[in-house]
Amino acid sequence: MPKFLIWIAALAALVALPHGLSFSQQEILVFLTINVLLVASYRLLTLTGEWSLAHVVIMGVGAYSSALLTKKLGVYVPVSMLLGGVIAALIAVLLSFPLFRMKGFYFLIGSFAAGEIIRLLWKRFRDPFGGAKGIKGIDPMPDFSIGFYKFDFFEPTSYYYFAGVIVAFCLWILWRIEKSPVGLTFHAVHWQDKLAQASGVNVRAYRTLAFAIASGFAGISGALLAHYVGTINPTAFDIDLMVFVLTWAIVGGTATFYGPILGCVVLTVLNEIVLRELGLEQMRPLVYGAIMILSILFLPSGLESIVQKLTKRRAAESAPERSPAE
């Protein structure tokens, strides 16, 4: 089947998907769409070889910023979402000054400490962050109509379409960045940092750039979440969610663009369909931990390696046999 027909079929399936689900499953679909952007943005950061534990807190920066801009200053919601991403990127640039004096394990611990400082600030100051209870009554996305379809954003289906368009556009930008010379330099900074530095590449500047871009898109995912649920608090962006993001990335694999997205989708389906149906939802951290350990032991390249093997096998089977040499 031609590729463009596959893409059209996939798009049609994504559009029709919420209409075959219950209300609660439609809500899960909205959260899954937002999490796809979160984990894809995290992968951009890992291209430079750095794994941060503050990515979920940075997502929270976008959520808090967008919520405050609408509540305190009356900024139009779509604009506040974009500004939430910009502010998250700026905070990442500020954090980069101390964090990129560290590498590897020290960067990991430093990013965790930086994220906890931001979370404690949200808890400490009731004005403007709402303290431990967070911010409630966040303005929703205003309803609008495009003629044949009216977007009512209290309905998860409408928000799924809205978030889907935003996330698809963001994924396209992330993909283009990775395929650009800047993305190739990110890879070089990861695998040949000394050689890249000797070639005139400012390694620290490129690490900062990757951190800022990834944080900007994480901030947009946080803004999408805030204006859907209508309330946010510091515990919504704690280390538990960060562990889930790490699990999605490790189980899916980070060698390809689709790897972390695949991990996010598979584990969400496992959690929301299998564990919930079995009444084992409370055991999700235990199950996720076991899956991460088993994945590292028996599938170190992640689920993406299975897809790559199947794709190569299919290509080999469909390739025409060479005619014997005369």
Side-chain angles (χ1 to χ4, degrees):
M1 183 183 289
K3 271 189 175 180
F4 75 94
L5 288 179
I6 296 175
W7 282 106
I8 291 174
L11 179 62
L14 289 174
V15 171
L17 183 60
H19 297 285
L21 302 176
S22 64
F23 185 86
S24 62
Q25 289 170 334
Q26 289 171 350
E27 289 201 313
I28 292 167
L29 193 61
V30 173
F31 296 134
L32 172 61
T33 306
I34 295 170
N35 287 337
V36 162
L37 178 57
L38 176 65
V39 76
S41 65
Y42 188 66
R43 178 178 176 272
L44 187 80
L45 174 60
T46 65
L47 291 183
T48 59
E50 302 296 354
W51 290 66
S52 167
L53 289 180
H55 201 64
V56 164
V57 176
I58 294 294
M59 176 193 187
V61 170
Y64 270 87
S65 302
S66 185
L68 289 173
L69 284 170
T70 53
K71 284 184 73 75
K72 303 289 185 182
L73 301 177
V75 177
Y76 190 50
V77 172
V79 177
S80 72
M81 287 182 176
L82 183 61
L83 292 176
V86 172
I87 292 171
L90 292 175
I91 294 294
V93 172
L94 291 177
L95 291 178
S96 71
F97 289 102
L99 288 181
F100 284 115
R101 292 179 180 275
M102 315 170 198
K103 284 188 68 176
F105 174 76
Y106 296 101
F107 177 84
L108 192 74
I109 298 301
S111 64
F112 173 73
E116 284 303 297
I117 290 171
I118 293 174
R119 282 200 335 111
L120 288 174
L121 290 175
W122 293 338
K123 282 186 176 179
R124 172 68 179 79
F125 294 102
R126 295 188 64 182
D127 188 17
F129 302 120
K133 293 183 179 179
I135 302 174
K136 299 178 181 176
I138 301 170
D139 293 346
M141 182 70 190
D143 297 344
F144 68 91
S145 174
I146 56 171
F148 64 92
Y149 189 86
K150 184 177 185 303
F151 284 86
D152 176 3
F153 289 105
F154 282 106
E155 291 291 329
T157 302
S158 293
Y159 205 84
Y160 162 71
Y161 289 143
F162 171 71
V165 171
I166 300 295
V167 170
F169 183 64
C170 291
L171 291 180
W172 178 76
I173 294 174
L174 287 168
W175 183 77
R176 292 296 301 169
I177 290 173
E178 182 175 345
K179 298 300 177 186
S180 70
V182 172
L184 295 176
T185 309
F186 288 162
H187 284 284
V189 167
H190 181 194
W191 297 108
Q192 296 290 342
D193 59 337
K194 299 294 183 187
L195 184 59
Q197 197 166 11
S199 303
V201 173
N202 189 329
V203 172
R204 186 169 172 177
Y206 273 92
R207 284 188 170 130
T208 301
L209 180 62
F211 191 34
I213 294 173
S215 299
F217 285 104
I220 292 175
S221 70
L224 285 171
L225 179 69
H227 292 284
Y228 179 63
V229 297
T231 178
I232 51 174
N233 58 65
T235 55
F237 307 101
D238 62 8
I239 193 64
D240 288 350
L241 180 57
M242 191 63 237
V243 171
F244 292 147
V245 174
L246 286 172
T247 308
W248 296 332
I250 292 172
V251 172
T254 56
T256 63
F257 186 80
Y258 61 81
I261 298 173
L262 184 63
C264 178
V265 172
V266 169
L267 290 178
T268 301
V269 170
L270 172 71
N271 175 62
E272 302 299 340
I273 295 180
V274 180
L275 296 183
R276 182 170 289 191
E277 288 297 322
L278 294 175
L280 301 175
E281 196 180 8
Q282 297 300 321
M283 297 179 66
R284 185 167 71 153
L286 174 65
V287 174
Y288 267 46
I291 289 174
M292 183 189 284
I293 293 171
L294 291 173
S295 174
I296 293 171
L297 289 176
F298 300 107
L299 198 64
S301 299
L303 294 172
E304 64 188 6
S305 62
I306 298 175
V307 177
Q308 288 173 329
K309 285 178 184 175
L310 292 174
T311 306
K312 287 179 182 176
R313 183 180 299 174
R314 187 176 176 181
E317 289 173 353
S318 61
E321 293 184 0
R322 288 186 175 179
S323 59
E326 293 182 357

